[in-house]
Amino acid sequence: MLLCLLLMLLLVCSTQANQFLGTVMSYYPGNTNADGSVTVDLRYKLNFQNCTNLSWECLSGNCGTESLVARTIYEERNGEWCQTEEISTRQLPSNAPFQMRLNGGHWIDNITNGIVNSRAVTLVELRNRSDTGKANLSPQTTIIAAVRVPSNCQRDFSLLAFDPDGDNVQCRYGNTSLSECNPCTAPSVLSLSSSCSLSFSPTSSSNEGPYAVQLVMEDFPTQTITLTQTDGTQTTLTPEDAISKIPVQFVLWVDPAVPSCTEGLYLPVFVPPTPTNRAQLYTSVNMVIEINIQAEANISTISGLLISGPSNINQIPLGPGQFRLTWTPFQTEEGGSYPICFVVKADYNLSTFNSDLRCVIVTVINDPTTTTTTPTTSTDTTAVTRTTATTNSAVRPRLVNNVIGLRAKVSSTYQLSNNQVLSYIQQVRYYLTNYGLQNLTINLVSYTQN
Ligand SMILES: *[C@@H]1O[C@H](CO)[C@@H](O)[C@H](O)[C@H]1NC(C)=O
Ligand SMILES: *[C@@H]1O[C@H](CO)[C@@H](O)[C@H](O)[C@H]1NC(C)=O
Ligand SMILES: *[C@@H]1O[C@H](CO)[C@@H](O)[C@H](O)[C@H]1NC(C)=O
Ligand SMILES: *[C@@H]1O[C@H](CO)[C@@H](O)[C@H](O)[C@H]1NC(C)=O
Ligand SMILES: *[C@@H]1O[C@H](CO)[C@@H](O)[C@H](O)[C@H]1NC(C)=O
Ligand SMILES: *[C@@H]1O[C@H](CO)[C@@H](O)[C@H](O)[C@H]1NC(C)=O
Ligand SMILES: *[C@@H]1O[C@H](CO)[C@@H](O)[C@H](O)[C@H]1NC(C)=O
Ligand SMILES: *[C@@H]1O[C@H](CO)[C@@H](O)[C@H](O)[C@H]1NC(C)=O
């Protein structure tokens, strides 16, 4: 009895220290061993006002043992919140499904939809899929800890909902009876579509304040599939059955009304070459990917870029409203797809405004020499019109019978490998697509190095 009391008091103390602002988790299957045991990497972000730890516990199934944890390897500190990313590798006796739960933390004070306790659940499904011949990968997404909208403005938040297996990804609010949140009261000011877009409509000032948004993202097969466990048992899933589920939790701040909702005045607006929302970018191991972001606001002053991305992502301020994100994937990240989300913030008269939310997915291609075009001499050469482009200036190609000739001069302080050149071409392709050239294929016609 005394022991119970002591434990309860400790719990109360520790929960009050937490100032939770949400979490998101994705999982990446690892190796399958001869004895049927498997490994999985759980990658999760935890958001707090000040950097804090909170650990996940086993909710159901055999969650195995944690063999290696990279903790607090990335922190986004901007005065408002701290987002850390942790990667936990679990060693499992078989590929049977299990659930992990985050429990016992405490959201920030005075959440308008009344949420106090933090809770989240991930369902990890690693059984062999009949359609892919591999373990399932969860949907992949991320979100910054807190997004802002003035109470008098319309805004849509299209969350990144990428699935490496090509599954149909859907979002719903958490369900209290499935222990997905505690409780799962949805924010009255948002309407959620199953395609993971949240729509905010102008509301009265009495609805201003922070809201806890507690979503569950699930992947559904596009056709009926079977899942095979290490011991040979099989389960059939139809397109109505979720395969795995991950939590997506964050804070929506509904701020005081702004004199104008026109984007580009008080509210900063993204302009080119910022990637479009949900764009898919490519890079390869040890190859730096650069994402250039530009935003404008004519009345307020742009004061920063808030990001949520993989570990060791860097942001470089380039000038007013201009930022560059750089990220170099590790060998262990080869073959995976990693989400990055960002918003620009701007200040005016002690108020802070956010741009809309942009998210991209970066796929780390296995071996660019086999998955992308290799240098060839093309019979199209005579149709090619030569124009020039450099890495920093805008690309202005001239169209001739839908064939674009592009001569790019790339300067580098070190000798570029073929892989780096091919990865660069993928990025050029991406930017051209972004400027409206659809269904584009790029062939490297010639390439000289001096
Ligand atoms: C966070 O840390 C700052 C400085 O370290 C401190 O002033 C502040 O009170 C802390 N906030 C919370 C909610 O613990
Ligand atoms: C989180 O926990 C790890 C190991 O338990 C510890 O090394 C680290 O300092 C902790 N971080 C914080 C912010 O408490
Ligand atoms: C939360 O609300 C209470 C009562 O209205 C108030 O005293 C407290 O300052 C508020 N806390 C925060 C962080 O706004
Ligand atoms: C999954 O099933 C495919 C055949 O459907 C098989 O080739 C593959 O080895 C299996 N993978 C595992 C990890 O059991
Ligand atoms: C929540 O889950 C329970 C148990 O699976 C189910 O009966 C109920 O319909 C669900 N509620 C909603 C709103 O989906
Ligand atoms: C902001 O100023 C620029 C340059 O004067 C102008 O082109 C742009 O239309 C303005 N934006 C808005 C939203 O008025
Ligand atoms: C700045 O904010 C204060 C208080 O909110 C307000 O009285 C004042 O009119 C604002 N100034 C401008 C230039 O908008
Ligand atoms: C691009 O390809 C898709 C499918 O092949 C087609 O439906 C679409 O019309 C094409 N778009 C253009 C602009 O050619």
Side-chain angles (χ1 to χ4, degrees), residues 436-440:
L437 291 168
Q438 288 173 18
N439 296 356
L440 190 67

Side-chain angles (χ1 to χ4, degrees), residues 30-33 38 95 126-135 228-230:
N31 306 324
T32 300
N33 303 314
V38 302
N95 60 4
L126 297 170
R127 285 177 288 180
N128 199 352
R129 293 174 61 143
S130 55
D131 56 345
T132 62
K134 292 187 301 184
T228 308
Q229 202 167 311
T230 315

Side-chain angles (χ1 to χ4, degrees), residues 67-380:
S67 56
L68 175 94
V69 189
R71 268 190 203 281
T72 316
I73 52 180
Y74 168 67
E75 290 179 9
E76 172 66 29
R77 280 176 186 276
N78 52 56
E80 290 188 61
W81 37 264
C82 166
Q83 181 171 76
T84 61
E85 182 183 50
E86 301 187 352
I87 304 171
S88 156
T89 301
R90 298 197 81 87
Q91 198 83 42
L92 306 153
S94 80
N95 60 4
F98 63 94
Q99 294 190 85
M100 298 291 295
R101 181 169 73 170
L102 189 73
N103 198 27
H106 199 288
W107 284 82
I108 55 168
D109 292 341
N110 300 350
I111 291 273
T112 315
N113 52 332
I115 312 297
V116 173
N117 298 306
S118 52
R119 180 178 289 177
V121 169
T122 298
L123 167 61
V124 181
E125 175 58 80
L126 297 170
R127 285 177 288 180
N128 199 352
R129 293 174 61 143
S130 55
D131 56 345
T132 62
K134 292 187 301 184
N136 183 61
L137 280 88
S138 70
Q140 275 144 38
T141 192
T142 191
I143 183 78
I144 64 168
V147 293
R148 294 180 173 277
V149 63
S151 60
N152 59 327
C153 300
Q154 159 72 40
R155 179 147 279 182
D156 290 326
F157 302 94
S158 293
L159 305 185
L160 185 71
F162 179 78
D163 189 279
D165 302 314
D167 296 325
N168 174 15
V169 178
Q170 293 190 15
C171 288
R172 58 176 173 81
Y173 286 112
N175 180 330
T176 310
S177 64
L178 298 175
S179 193
E180 291 167 345
C181 13
N182 179 25
C184 293
T185 317
S188 55
V189 294
L190 285 175
S191 73
L192 172 67
S193 77
S194 62
S195 62
C196 303
S197 286
L198 286 158
S199 177
F200 175 86
S201 298
T203 187
S204 74
S205 58
S206 61
N207 290 326
E208 288 166 7
Y211 291 81
V213 184
Q214 303 177 102
L215 302 176
V216 174
M217 191 178 274
E218 296 172 311
D219 49 346
F220 295 80
T222 54
Q223 56 186 30
T224 298
I225 60 168
T226 54
L227 300 175
T228 308
Q229 202 167 311
T230 315
D231 65 8
T233 55
Q234 293 194 321
T235 306
T236 301
L237 296 186
T238 72
E240 280 74 51
D241 299 318
I243 310 170
S244 64
K245 70 178 178 189
I246 59 168
V248 182
Q249 300 187 355
F250 61 99
V251 167
L252 171 74
W253 275 96
V254 178
D255 287 332
V258 65
S260 168
C261 292
T262 303
E263 291 191 316
L265 297 178
Y266 295 89
L267 305 179
V269 64
F270 287 118
V271 296
T274 313
T276 51
N277 195 32
R278 296 180 170 178
Q280 185 167 11
L281 315 184
Y282 299 89
T283 189
S284 53
V285 172
N286 296 330
M287 174 72 213
V288 184
I289 185 165
E290 289 185 349
I291 300 172
N292 291 312
I293 295 166
Q294 192 160 344
E296 289 175 358
N298 286 358
I299 296 175
S300 59
T301 304
I302 292 177
S303 56
L305 178 74
L306 307 178
I307 59 174
S308 173
S311 56
N312 79 328
I313 191 167
N314 288 309
Q315 67 161 283
I316 307 163
L318 295 179
Q322 286 182 290
F323 306 90
R324 176 174 294 155
L325 296 179
T326 62
W327 178 53
T328 311
F330 295 121
Q331 188 70 49
T332 51
E333 289 162 329
E334 185 167 46
S337 296
Y338 301 90
I340 300 171
C341 292
F342 49 90
V343 304
V344 160
K345 65 172 180 173
D347 297 330
Y348 179 74
N349 192 18
L350 303 177
S351 299
T352 296
F353 304 107
N354 280 180
S355 65
D356 64 357
L357 174 74
R358 286 275 169 105
C359 298
V360 300
I361 187 96
V362 180
T363 299
V364 183
I365 48 184
N366 283 46
D367 179 6
T369 51
T370 58
T371 58
T372 65
T373 50
T374 47
T376 54
T377 45
S378 160
T379 51
D380 288 337

